[in-house]
């Protein structure tokens, strides 16, 4: 008997006593086949150990069953969080029989054009989206199925999915203001992230500033570099400028631990003297000490939705333009009423 890897659809047809086209219809479901014939074909498939060739399926459908995840690795990115998004994309893609081609080079539109021009992928997922992303005009020009994990300033004609980061900033300020805090600060991503115009950072900052102005709360926004020394420097400067600062919003996963550890060394207990809210995945918040009140970044849900939207576009199905997941705040041990 042949090795299963060498068994062809013609072998199955001979074994079952039917035409090759009949076997193809049974396996693809493209035509109705009588239950007797279908059972005989499937029995032959099992007996011979036949596995449809992935390459042949791709040629027949003119699809590669591969999606490209364009994830340029840039300065200031929080790699552990980015990898949560990537893993969600990969695991979801496997559930719909797609593989993922991970593209990490920062080639901008030229790299995107190169990937889209090949027959290697059926569609594109883009991450680290900037407000004025140079890749966006090319996406409209190419006409290839694509989904952005992020929201550019002009999303017209695009399919985007992300957390509503403006809303996340709003929810954090509303929570602190509701506890009586009138002077707060946002410790944000590293400066390089703001300088690139990365959407999530700017939208969060706008949400904090807009909501603070609406509620009569004094707020300042400071980029924050990675490392305990950089965090300490920012906190010292903030407390020197505003000795009565009593609320912090942290949107920098690498800074969460150093912030909570440094504040007590500066004479500020958490939450008795300073309440701290994070915008970060739940695992960072749960592992912090004290446990961090937070608005979670739903990496898994965003990844799942992005893949589902892209697969629908690949199959020519209509999809919504922008999908923004609503922020939800989970109160833990790091926030308390202002004394």
């Amino acid at each position: 008997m042949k090795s299963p890897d060498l068994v062809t659809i013609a072998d199955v047809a001979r074994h079952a006593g039917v035409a090759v086209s009949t076997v193809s219809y049974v396996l693809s479901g493209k035509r109705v086949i009588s239950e007797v014939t279908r059972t005989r074909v499937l029995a032959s498939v099992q007996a011979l150990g036949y596995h449809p060739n992935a390459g042949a399926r791709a040629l027949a459908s003119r699809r590669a069953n591969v999606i490209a995840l364009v994830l340029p690795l840039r300065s200031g990115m929080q790699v552990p969080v980015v990898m949560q998004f990537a893993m969600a994309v990969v695991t979801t893609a496997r559930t719909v029989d797609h593989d993922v081609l991970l593209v990490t080079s920062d080639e901008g539109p030229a790299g995107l054009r190169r990937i889209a021009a090949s027959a290697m992928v059926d569609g594109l997922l883009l991450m680290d989206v900037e407000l004025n992303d140079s890749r966006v005009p090319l996406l409209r020009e190419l006409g290839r199925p694509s989904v952005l994990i992020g929201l550019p300033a002009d999303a017209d004609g695009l399919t985007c999915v992300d957390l509503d980061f403006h809303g996340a900033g709003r929810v954090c300020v509303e929570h602190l203001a509701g506890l009586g805090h009138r002077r707060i600060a946002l410790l944000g991503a590293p400066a390089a992230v703001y300088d690139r115009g990365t959407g999530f950072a700017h939208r969060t900052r706008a949400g904090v500033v807009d909501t603070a102005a609406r509620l009569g709360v004094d707020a300042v926004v400071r980029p924050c570099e990675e490392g305990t020394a950089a965090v300490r420097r920012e906190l010292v400067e903030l407390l020197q400028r505003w000795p009565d600062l009593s609320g912090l919003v942290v949107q920098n996963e690498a800074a969460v631990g150093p912030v909570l550890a440094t504040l007590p060394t500066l004479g500020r207990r958490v939450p008795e003297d300073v309440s701290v809210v994070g915008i970060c995945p739940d695992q960072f918040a749960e592992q912090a000490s004290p446990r961090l009140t937070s608005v979670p970044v739903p990496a898994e849900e965003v990844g799942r939705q992005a893949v589902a939207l892209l697969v629908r576009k690949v199959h020519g199905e209509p999809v919504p333009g922008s999908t923004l997941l609503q922020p939800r705040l989970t109160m833990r041990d790091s926030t308390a009423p202002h004394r």
Side-chain angles (χ1 to χ4, degrees), residues 15-325:
H15 190 275
V18 298
V20 170
S21 59
T22 302
V23 178
S24 177
Y25 293 144
V26 169
L27 296 177
S28 67
K30 290 182 179 179
R31 287 194 182 180
V32 177
I33 302 296
S34 72
E35 189 59 32
V36 172
T37 302
R38 180 177 177 276
T39 300
R40 188 161 72 245
V41 168
L42 292 178
S44 295
V45 167
Q46 184 174 6
L48 298 177
Y50 173 67
H51 298 288
N53 179 270
R57 286 200 310 269
L59 288 172
S61 65
R62 295 188 178 180
R63 296 196 186 105
N65 284 0
V66 177
I67 59 179
L69 175 59
V70 184
L71 172 54
L73 295 181
R74 298 164 169 166
S75 61
M77 294 180 71
Q78 300 297 316
V79 175
V81 178
V82 169
M83 286 301 103
Q84 288 188 11
F85 283 95
M87 285 302 300
V89 167
V90 170
T91 54
T92 305
R94 289 309 311 146
T95 66
V96 289
D97 294 324
H98 278 67
D99 291 313
V100 176
L101 173 66
L102 180 60
V103 182
T104 58
S105 58
D106 189 5
E107 300 179 71
L112 203 60
R113 187 182 295 277
R114 174 176 55 80
I115 299 163
S118 75
M120 295 171 59
V121 301
D122 299 324
L124 308 164
L125 282 177
L126 275 66
M127 286 189 62
D128 201 42
V129 177
E130 300 167 5
L131 290 176
N132 299 302
D133 201 302
S134 61
R135 300 170 296 179
V136 163
L138 180 60
L139 281 182
R140 296 191 178 101
E141 175 190 324
L142 292 173
R144 291 293 297 274
S146 63
V147 172
L148 283 74
I149 297 179
L151 187 67
D154 179 10
D156 186 49
L158 302 173
T159 305
C160 309
V161 59
D162 205 0
L163 175 67
D164 179 359
F165 279 101
H166 188 283
R170 181 194 72 243
V171 167
C172 290
V173 175
E174 289 175 343
H175 174 67
L176 291 171
L179 293 172
H181 299 281
R182 313 311 298 172
R183 185 155 287 182
I184 67 174
L186 167 64
L187 279 184
V193 175
Y194 289 97
D195 292 344
R196 284 198 301 271
T198 307
F200 77 85
H202 282 271
R203 292 184 184 280
T204 303
R205 179 167 68 181
V208 168
V209 171
D210 294 347
T211 307
R214 174 171 58 84
L215 298 178
V217 173
D218 293 327
V220 66
V221 178
R222 300 287 290 264
C224 187
E225 305 305 317
E226 296 182 12
T228 301
V231 170
R232 184 178 185 86
R233 185 164 56 250
E234 291 294 340
L235 291 175
V236 168
E237 291 181 7
L238 278 171
L239 293 173
Q240 286 177 345
R241 178 181 174 185
W242 283 350
D244 58 345
L245 179 78
S246 66
L248 271 179
V249 179
V250 181
Q251 190 185 27
N252 183 329
E253 290 80 7
V256 167
V259 164
L260 296 175
T262 301
L263 282 170
T265 71
L266 300 176
R268 301 296 198 279
R269 298 166 299 167
V270 179
E272 292 85 353
D273 302 313
V274 177
S275 286
V276 181
V277 183
I279 301 175
C280 60
D282 270 336
Q283 70 179 70
F284 288 87
E286 289 283 359
Q287 294 170 3
S289 180
R291 293 166 64 250
L292 188 68
T293 295
S294 70
V295 173
V297 177
E300 292 186 4
E301 177 62 19
V302 170
R304 282 196 298 268
Q305 292 213 24
V307 172
L309 288 166
L310 183 58
V311 171
R312 287 171 60 186
K313 293 187 76 171
V314 166
H315 287 88
E317 300 176 16
V319 298
S322 295
T323 301
L324 291 180
L325 306 184

